[in-house]
Amino acid sequence: MKTKLTGLALATMMAMAPSAQAGEVEVLHWWTSGGEATSVAFLKKQLAESGVDWVDFAVAGGGGESAMTVLKSRAISGNSPTAAQIKGPSIQEWGELGFLSSIDDVAQANNWDEILPGVVSDVMKYQGEYVAAPVNVHRVNWLWANPEVFRKAGATIPTTWDDFMVQAQKVKDAGYIALAHGGQAWQDATVFEAVVLGVGGADYYNKAFVQADMDALNSATTKKVFETFGQLRQFVDINSPGRDWNLATSMVIKGEAGMQIMGDWAKGEFKVAGMNPGTDYVCVAAPGTSGAYTFNVDSFAFFNQSDAESTKAQKVMAKEILSTDFQRVFNLNKGSIPARLGMARTEFDTCAHDSMDAFVSSSASGSLVPSFAHGMAVSEAISGAIYDSATQFFNSDDSAEQGVAQLVAAVAAAK
Amino acid sequence: MFDYLEKQLPKLIMAPTAIAMLVCMYGFIGWTAVLSFTKSRMLPQWDFVGWQQYERLFANPRWHVALDNLLVFTLLFIIIALLLGLMLAILLDRNIRNDGALRTIYLYPMAVSFIVTGTAWKWILNPGLGIEKMVRDLGFTDFEFRWLVDPDMAIYTIVIAAVWQSSGFVMAMFLAGLRGVDDSLIKAAQIDGASTFRTYWHVILPVMRPVFFGAVVILSHIAIKSFDLVQSLTGGGPGYSSDLPATFMYTHAFSRAQMGLGAASAMVMLAGVMAIIVPYLYSELRGKKS
């Protein structure tokens, strides 16, 4: 009797084995809203087809601060999820702490080195091996404009910062808000970043804001950057402090404001409002940055797993993330462009086409730079110091000299 | 056996809470103190660097803004809330009609969380939505009230909202104190021909000294802990002009991967709270002995 029962148990276990073998992935992410949630659901479905179960480890709450806290405590207690939404230099920090697992075999088998641009794959590697997979590329240096407002004000859409001041003044004189802006630290930093790139160029940007070179930071160019940045204060309305970015976008949509400087996620707002790119709204590179590109790449980093099954499931997931299907669906929903090169582009809109072209050309010319306002360029400590300096300067009457001095001191202290 | 158990029962029942307190409060305070002397960035690391994090902390201009703001906020908040609460309590104590209903109205803000208070005041004080727009719509087109978006004044909007929230509570404390004052004292003062003002100033208020002290202690720890109100009302802005030490600590420890620096700022905050609580405890304990 006893042996019979054991046999039965064994048989049941074997019957269950196939599904257990396929394994499951537990993924920490904060793509919980609208189009983002749809994109994640698609990945989930794709993995299910490969026999991998997806367990959500979604922690609601904006930029993922609360999610990161949960992730840290779980990693320390030796209970890491399979993958987590981590990007930029943070991947290196996690790598240094020894939590990330290499997925280099998947990457080699699928030619990631060839389908990904070098700047992107560098971010995904720790000590030469892939530990993360990119899902998309956002362009941050966009200027969104309402052509109707420009027509009424008799202004043209600016292509340099000097021209910006002239055209913005016209828009302002015509009774509109020239620059729709939300006065939150990260938005101040987003505009500041566009000014840095437009005024200083890609070489300066790389030296000063990626390598955090003190000589480059403490230079005449930085002073010029702060002068230009300071001039923008007059084109922002009095109610901007604390405003969310999407409310600023809707000011452009409603024709209350002329333009906004924001990453390509703003496109979603225009889309929801039923506006078409080119006719109802215009997307151009931020002034002075038409040949350049500040990128913000979202990615999943993979954590060490204790059992072989999870590791296997992890690799299936890594492979699926870079599949053309997922890259296409995810980025159509999110407004960004695929991280892998050479994909069919018919379904994407004209703004996305511009973004793809600029991505390839700037990559060739060396003016493809990581966004410091979105945690791609420097450690969190240094980007925090830049945030503080930019937002403090923009919300005060400080002179450009004071701005430079403060930035230099803050970055030095954060190093 | 039963007797023994009965004797030990209180200790047994208290033990879990005592242990929880020891570990979760004092244990973690100690841990934070240790962390503040390490190089910890994203996760705790045990490279001890002495007072370096404290040096970095006090070299940070944002920390000084936060400390100055805390001073302004704490002083104004405590003084205004005390005066307003006392005034309301005295007025309510004058046997006016419907004092029960009025009391409820003044106490009601206490039932609302600081997040709600902050959000509501954010709208009220926003120049494009709130008071400024309302007064301008009434015809006074030059009217300006822009403290919320003015870096020099933003901290005062936090005082306004915090006072609105807490003065009802202070009123309730004082009211309880006033009702507890011995009637014969007041009668005696009246027979001696003291005016109402003098009765309050020389007889009633001195009797209420412990209530004052209690109110100050409660208000000052609300002030030092203030986090949610700042977060929802100004988000620390414009810029970081309305940052308080609590928001500074949160930003650095949790969203900027500077755990050591955050721990150091938390320890400085703790020192601030101790500076208030220790004298209070001292006076309380000494009072009981004599």
Side-chain angles (χ1 to χ4, degrees), chain A residues 57 66-81 94 99 303, chain B residues 31 42-44 254 259:
Chain A
F57 176 16
S66 41
M68 290 311 284
T69 310
V70 178
L71 178 64
K72 283 176 201 168
S73 54
R74 278 196 49 179
I76 296 175
S77 64
N79 182 25
S80 311
W94 282 99
F99 285 114
F303 280 76
Chain B
W31 201 38
M42 195 165 76
L43 291 174
F254 296 111
M259 201 170 268

Side-chain angles (χ1 to χ4, degrees), chain B residues 137-272:
Chain B
D137 288 350
L138 288 176
F140 304 94
T141 46
D142 291 337
F143 181 79
E144 266 191 21
F145 185 65
R146 297 180 169 176
W147 286 10
L148 188 67
V149 296
D150 180 347
D152 296 329
M153 303 303 284
I155 187 69
Y156 299 105
T157 63
I158 298 175
V159 175
I160 294 176
V163 165
W164 177 84
Q165 165 114 359
S166 302
S167 46
F169 170 68
V170 179
M171 174 206 75
M173 283 182 76
F174 279 128
L175 203 53
L178 285 173
R179 299 269 152 98
V181 174
D182 195 345
D183 255 357
S184 55
L185 279 177
I186 302 170
K187 293 247 166 65
Q190 278 168 348
I191 290 168
D192 284 348
S195 67
T196 314
F197 176 77
R198 285 179 67 94
T199 314
Y200 271 105
W201 191 249
H202 289 290
V203 180
I204 299 181
L205 293 187
V207 177
M208 299 217 317
R209 236 189 63 173
V211 183
F212 268 100
F213 211 65
V216 169
V217 168
I218 290 176
L219 290 178
S220 50
H221 92 252
I222 290 181
I224 292 178
K225 287 193 309 194
S226 277
F227 173 77
D228 33 10
L229 184 64
V230 185
Q231 219 54 337
S232 59
L233 182 60
T234 64
Y240 52 70
S241 57
S242 59
D243 225 9
L244 284 181
T247 50
F248 179 96
M249 187 279 292
Y250 181 82
T251 313
H252 285 80
F254 296 111
S255 56
R256 287 196 184 168
Q258 303 219 57
M259 201 170 268
L261 191 70
S265 66
M267 292 316 290
V268 176
M269 275 167 68
L270 178 71

Side-chain angles (χ1 to χ4, degrees), chain B:
Chain B
M1 177 64 197
F2 187 74
D3 277 356
Y4 176 76
L5 202 67
E6 201 175 68
K7 255 192 210 157
Q8 299 302 318
L9 197 60
K11 284 181 201 162
L12 271 176
I13 291 175
M14 293 305 288
T17 15
I19 292 170
M21 281 287 285
L22 276 178
V23 173
C24 296
M25 292 277 302
Y26 302 102
F28 286 134
I29 289 176
W31 201 38
T32 310
V34 175
L35 274 181
S36 73
F37 292 107
T38 67
K39 225 167 73 181
S40 305
R41 294 178 82 97
M42 195 165 76
L43 291 174
Q45 288 166 355
W46 307 110
D47 306 334
F48 289 92
V49 291
W51 293 92
Q52 195 188 316
Q53 299 286 11
Y54 291 88
E55 283 163 19
R56 284 179 60 202
L57 182 67
F58 282 95
N60 191 326
R62 183 169 170 175
W63 174 248
H64 288 283
V65 170
L67 280 187
D68 290 350
N69 280 341
L70 181 66
L71 194 72
V72 170
F73 173 67
T74 311
L75 281 181
L76 285 180
F77 168 60
I78 292 177
I79 292 171
I80 299 176
L82 275 184
L83 287 181
L84 219 67
L86 182 62
M87 212 178 70
L88 289 173
I90 290 176
L91 292 179
L92 276 184
D93 198 39
R94 304 295 296 166
N95 287 328
I96 55 167
R97 255 187 296 169
N98 292 331
D99 69 326
L102 284 173
R103 207 165 52 210
T104 316
I105 290 173
Y106 290 128
L107 250 183
Y108 203 75
M110 195 69 194
V112 178
S113 84
F114 268 121
I115 295 283
V116 177
T117 307
T119 310
W121 278 97
K122 183 166 90 182
W123 292 332
I124 295 172
L125 295 171
N126 185 303
L129 292 172
I131 296 177
E132 181 176 304
K133 184 172 186 319
M134 198 183 77
V135 176
R136 285 189 172 194
D137 288 350
L138 288 176
F140 304 94
T141 46
D142 291 337
F143 181 79
E144 266 191 21
F145 185 65
R146 297 180 169 176
W147 286 10
L148 188 67
V149 296
D150 180 347
D152 296 329
M153 303 303 284
I155 187 69
Y156 299 105
T157 63
I158 298 175
V159 175
I160 294 176
V163 165
W164 177 84
Q165 165 114 359
S166 302
S167 46
F169 170 68
V170 179
M171 174 206 75
M173 283 182 76
F174 279 128
L175 203 53
L178 285 173
R179 299 269 152 98
V181 174
D182 195 345
D183 255 357
S184 55
L185 279 177
I186 302 170
K187 293 247 166 65
Q190 278 168 348
I191 290 168
D192 284 348
S195 67
T196 314
F197 176 77
R198 285 179 67 94
T199 314
Y200 271 105
W201 191 249
H202 289 290
V203 180
I204 299 181
L205 293 187
V207 177
M208 299 217 317
R209 236 189 63 173
V211 183
F212 268 100
F213 211 65
V216 169
V217 168
I218 290 176
L219 290 178
S220 50
H221 92 252
I222 290 181
I224 292 178
K225 287 193 309 194
S226 277
F227 173 77
D228 33 10
L229 184 64
V230 185
Q231 219 54 337
S232 59
L233 182 60
T234 64
Y240 52 70
S241 57
S242 59
D243 225 9
L244 284 181
T247 50
F248 179 96
M249 187 279 292
Y250 181 82
T251 313
H252 285 80
F254 296 111
S255 56
R256 287 196 184 168
Q258 303 219 57
M259 201 170 268
L261 191 70
S265 66
M267 292 316 290
V268 176
M269 275 167 68
L270 178 71
V273 178
M274 298 292 263
I276 295 164
I277 299 294
V278 168
Y280 171 68
L281 283 181
Y282 180 72
S283 72
E284 281 284 288
L285 296 177
R286 194 189 52 178
K288 278 202 187 108
K289 253 182 222 156
S290 61

